[in-house]
Amino acid sequence: MTISMHIQLNGEPYELHADQTLADLLERMELGGRRVAVELNLEIVPRSQYADTRLSEGDRIEVVHAIGGG
Amino acid sequence: MSSAPIDKPFTLAGRTFASRLLIGTGKYKDLEQTRLAIEASGAEIVTVAVRRTNIGQNPGEPNLLEVIDPARYTILPNTAGCYNAEEAVRTCRLARELLDGHKLVKLEVLADQKTLFPNVIETLKAAEVLVKDGFDVMVYTSDDPIIARQLAETGCIAVMPLAGLIGTGLGICNPYNLRIILEEAKVPVLVDAGVGTASDATIAMELGCEAVLMNSAIAHAQNPVLMARAMQHAIEAGRLAYLAGRMPKKLYASASSPLEGLIR
């Protein structure tokens, strides 16, 4: 049986299995290997640390990318 | 162009650019039109916005940076949509991570949705933090010469006053303020916002701006790709006219043809 946890992802409530890494979350968002940047509880997480960053209940995560702008 | 006068190179943060036109990537019909317009403009510096990925929406869609290759273009991430210093600083730090440690950013902190006028107090606060944090800050500001001076003193590498409100295409609304900013500039001054058509870009360059940044004037033209090309020529024409030095304006006529040898 897996326990789920709740996080805030890009300002929205999001549910995922406990004991997941940031890399797992990005895979689930279909963003694995894409050019994104991640902020976890207001701290930037370098790309090299996604696989080692364990997520916790209540984490606030922002995942951003570049879009058209002036 | 062998007849062109020798110009000093356009340099930002130690990098030299052949084009004095910087363009935005917003408001285009699609990514293909964006790509074609950038190519037609000859721009080497291209602005992008940083936004949340849409959860579960079009994950297969190409990313802007897959179309606009950061190896080919200098990407200038902006803080558009930020209304305070804290949001702007966070956005710049995310942009730096997104672009593998790239330090060049366009700082803009807005005050009001109707005018998109810059909040210069928050802009100054953000500039101080970003400069200390090692960013190369190109800053969007009002055409207030005092604020422009303070931003340069803070350590911004370029000051970018508006010529008109963002997206209005009203042209160079106050050339006199721009002249004052240019006269005492210690860092490159670029016009950012307000340009509506090619002649506006030329006027900005004739005033002595180092370069011009625009988005809507190209993206909202009837034919954006053709306008992008027009802008490239307009920037060049304005720069050459600036270097050439215009004739003084006179009230009365002065004949161009000799007055001697007329048949009577």
Side-chain angles (χ1 to χ4, degrees):
Chain A
M1 187 190 114
T2 48
I3 304 158
S4 66
M5 64 178 171
H6 304 83
I7 60 169
Q8 283 279 319
L9 177 58
N10 286 346
E12 302 281 340
Y14 195 84
E15 195 176 324
L16 73 172
H17 296 315
D19 200 32
Q20 297 261 296
T21 66
L22 197 47
D24 296 330
L25 174 66
L26 293 174
E27 275 303 324
R28 191 166 150 189
M29 293 171 79
E30 297 182 54
L31 291 172
R34 303 298 290 269
R35 193 184 273 273
V36 295
V38 180
E39 197 189 71
L40 170 60
N41 301 327
L42 301 176
E43 295 287 334
I44 304 279
V45 183
R47 201 165 299 152
S48 57
Q49 291 173 22
Y50 292 168
D52 301 324
T53 304
R54 301 229 155 263
L55 300 179
S56 310
E57 177 74 25
D59 276 347
R60 282 175 301 137
I61 297 170
E62 296 285 346
V63 184
V64 301
H65 63 161
I67 64 158
Chain B
M1 219 174 9
S2 59
S3 62
I6 296 161
D7 195 358
K8 65 180 167 67
F10 172 45
T11 307
L12 279 175
R15 291 181 66 176
T16 300
F17 299 93
S19 172
R20 291 173 180 271
L21 173 58
L22 288 71
I23 72 173
T25 53
K27 301 177 174 174
Y28 287 95
K29 191 180 72 182
D30 52 33
L31 284 178
E32 180 59 7
Q33 191 185 57
T34 313
R35 187 183 68 78
L36 291 172
I38 294 169
E39 246 167 48
S41 75
E44 295 160 289
I45 303 174
V46 171
T47 66
V48 303
V50 176
R51 289 290 180 277
R52 286 170 166 169
T53 55
N54 292 331
I55 302 167
Q57 196 187 319
N58 304 330
E61 216 172 58
N63 184 308
L64 179 68
L65 295 178
E66 288 160 9
V67 178
I68 314 304
D69 182 6
R72 180 170 168 198
Y73 295 100
T74 296
I75 305 296
L76 180 59
N78 70 26
T79 62
C82 292
Y83 282 82
N84 61 55
E86 191 197 344
E87 287 170 10
V89 170
R90 271 177 79 190
T91 302
C92 288
R93 288 177 177 154
L94 281 163
R96 180 166 61 183
E97 171 61 23
L98 189 63
L99 293 163
D100 309 312
H102 171 98
K103 295 189 300 178
L104 191 67
V105 290
K106 169 182 160 179
L107 172 64
E108 77 179 89
V109 186
L110 304 175
D112 173 86
Q113 291 204 347
K114 193 171 178 181
T115 62
L116 297 179
F117 214 73
N119 180 332
V120 294
I121 296 162
E122 291 294 310
T123 302
L124 266 169
K125 273 197 234 166
E128 275 170 23
V129 175
L130 290 169
V131 167
K132 273 192 198 132
D133 202 4
F135 283 94
D136 291 326
V137 181
M138 300 175 70
V139 61
Y140 170 67
T141 184
S142 64
D143 61 3
D144 176 339
I146 309 307
I147 294 294
R149 184 201 297 157
Q150 284 180 303
L151 287 165
E153 285 168 358
T154 301
C156 293
I157 64 152
V159 174
M160 308 199 291
L162 54 81
L165 299 184
I166 294 172
T168 58
L170 284 173
I172 314 299
C173 295
N174 191 342
Y176 305 104
N177 273 28
L178 291 179
R179 274 179 59 184
I180 296 170
I181 293 172
L182 284 159
E183 236 178 71
E184 61 165 52
K186 303 257 188 333
V187 297
V189 174
L190 286 76
V191 152
D192 179 2
V195 167
T197 188
S199 52
D200 299 332
T202 303
I203 291 168
M205 293 306 291
E206 284 171 349
L207 287 169
C209 291
E210 285 284 325
V212 176
L213 199 167
M214 65 180 76
N215 188 339
S216 306
I218 295 175
H220 280 178
Q222 302 301 308
N223 182 336
V225 178
L226 195 54
M227 186 58 90
R229 209 172 122 207
M231 290 300 182
Q232 179 178 29
H233 290 287
I235 294 286
E236 277 176 23
R239 180 67 185 175
L240 292 177
Y242 167 73
L243 293 170
R246 63 154 297 143
M247 64 163 283
K249 289 183 181 179
K250 295 175 192 167
L251 186 57
Y252 290 105
S254 159
S256 297
S257 307
L259 296 173
E260 295 79 34
L262 286 164
I263 53 160
R264 297 278 177 198

